[in-house]
Amino acid sequence: MSENQHPGSHPHGIGNSVLLGISGGVAEITLNRPDKLNSFTRAMHADLRAAISTARADTSVRAILLTGAGRGFCAGQDLADTVDPATGKPAGVGNTLEENYHPLVHTLQELPLPVVCAVNGVAAGAGTSIAFACDIVLAARSASFIQAFIKIGLVPDAGSTYALPRLVGMARAKALAMLGDKLDAETAERWGLIWRCVDDVALMGEARKLASHLATQPTRALGLIKQALHASPGNDLATQLALERNFQADCTQSNDFREGVSAFLDKRKPVFSGN
Ligand code: T3D
């Protein structure tokens, strides 16, 4: 069991490079190649896909928590794993992105569940992109974010050029991407790149508390909040108002809406089922 494993959870055998623990409605997924700062190999992508699928198939799961083992969160693509084992030739960036990173980013954004990310250490390259694809990002005070791509002659990928200007504005996005400088977690919080930065020792406790809280909330509405906010930058006001109306119509049919209103009127704490 890793130091980051959810206490009391049962690890599932997904493959060594990712750990999965499911407990109390939360699936805790830990990237587990600490010696290489959890950089992505093909095997780790496959393990992560399997972990997310297992979590999705478990109807008790109402929130996901993603973190990394050891001193790093994720150093992006493993730069030693860029050869296609089938051909023995360089895999080709486009292929790697299309086969592995793009489906992962889509999955994280389209999951109808909240995804909390606990950035426990350095996030570099596509490691930052994966954090940005999650819904609520906490980071340890000692963690950092590096758009490392330019250092090896690449452009930011796996969604970083999409997320960065939306999160921090164009001026900061350009400087981060073009300089590849390390951004500390406190500045990341101040700039709105992440939700919150917390003391290192508090990170996993806070992240688990947050994920556990979300797992008790109206899951249907949380999934629709994600969809609405993701759609927002591409929509005009009228389209977004129509989308909100449709989503609200959906929510008003839910058991959780009925429970929320009756708990309010009864002056008691609601118990949301997620339906
Ligand atoms: O086809 C495609 O590739 C397209 C997809 C691209 C997506 C991308 O993510 S491109 C960007 C890839 N990532 C990087 O360029 C970051 C490389 N890593 C670093 O710059 C540094 O490791 C960090 C700044 C993140 C951390 O530095 P530091 O000094 O804390 O740690 P370190 O000593 O550099 O790393 C510790 C170990 O992890 C070390 O291994 P060793 O020597 O102890 O056996 C190092 O080689 C390994 N490691 C770190 N990052 C990677 C890595 N090994 C392979 N790939 C890495 N990305």
Side-chain angles (χ1 to χ4, degrees):
M1 182 176 282
S2 95
E3 61 182 343
N4 288 331
Q5 191 79 27
H6 199 294
S9 64
H10 305 288
H12 300 249
I14 305 286
N16 296 335
S17 60
V18 167
L19 304 173
L20 170 65
I22 296 179
S23 168
V26 176
E28 184 168 318
I29 298 176
T30 306
L31 306 177
N32 188 39
R33 300 183 65 239
D35 293 350
K36 301 294 174 188
L37 303 181
N38 306 316
S39 54
F40 271 102
T41 55
R42 280 178 192 74
M44 195 169 91
H45 273 292
D47 287 348
L48 183 53
R49 275 194 296 275
I52 294 172
S53 295
T54 305
R56 279 297 290 134
D58 185 328
T59 51
S60 76
V61 171
R62 291 169 60 190
I64 289 178
L65 170 55
L66 178 66
T67 192
R71 73 178 178 89
F73 170 66
C74 175
Q77 172 64 31
D78 184 321
L79 298 173
D81 187 45
T82 54
V83 172
D84 185 338
T87 62
K89 294 184 178 155
V93 169
N95 293 343
T96 310
L97 290 173
E98 298 235 338
E99 281 167 23
N100 292 311
Y101 290 99
H102 295 185
L104 173 58
V105 169
H106 277 296
T107 298
L108 290 170
Q109 295 231 339
E110 287 156 20
L111 274 170
L113 303 172
V115 183
V116 173
C117 183
V119 179
N120 52 300
V122 65
T128 63
S129 315
I130 300 314
F132 302 154
C134 297
D135 298 314
I136 301 184
V137 183
L138 299 181
R141 208 167 296 284
S142 68
S144 55
F145 298 82
I146 311 175
Q147 293 301 305
F149 309 89
I150 191 61
K151 305 278 190 198
I152 53 169
L154 293 181
V155 296
D157 62 19
S160 263
T161 61
Y162 181 88
L164 276 175
R166 286 170 165 79
L167 290 170
V168 297
M170 194 57 84
R172 285 169 170 164
K174 279 186 181 165
L176 288 172
M178 289 184 163
L179 301 176
D181 285 347
K182 181 188 278 197
L183 190 75
D184 63 80
E186 286 182 359
T187 310
E189 178 192 303
R190 207 167 53 249
W191 287 6
L193 191 66
I194 61 170
W195 169 236
R196 239 161 38 83
C197 154
V198 299
D199 289 341
D200 289 21
V201 289
L203 177 72
M204 289 315 296
E206 289 291 321
R208 286 173 182 143
K209 200 162 80 180
L210 180 58
S212 298
H213 165 74
L214 289 165
T216 64
Q217 295 305 295
T219 310
R220 177 81 191 140
L222 291 173
L224 292 175
I225 287 171
K226 276 178 80 156
Q227 272 193 54
L229 292 176
H230 290 150
S232 175
N235 282 343
D236 60 20
L237 177 62
T239 310
Q240 194 67 14
L241 288 172
L243 179 144
E244 288 176 0
R245 178 203 57 216
N246 293 343
F247 285 0
Q248 210 64 300
D250 186 325
C251 287
T252 56
Q253 300 303 311
S254 69
N255 292 332
D256 283 342
F257 173 63
R258 277 188 286 281
E259 167 63 5
V261 173
S262 57
F264 176 79
L265 296 175
D266 297 349
K267 298 191 186 307
R268 62 175 172 81
K269 207 168 171 273
V271 180
F272 295 117
S273 63
N275 301 305

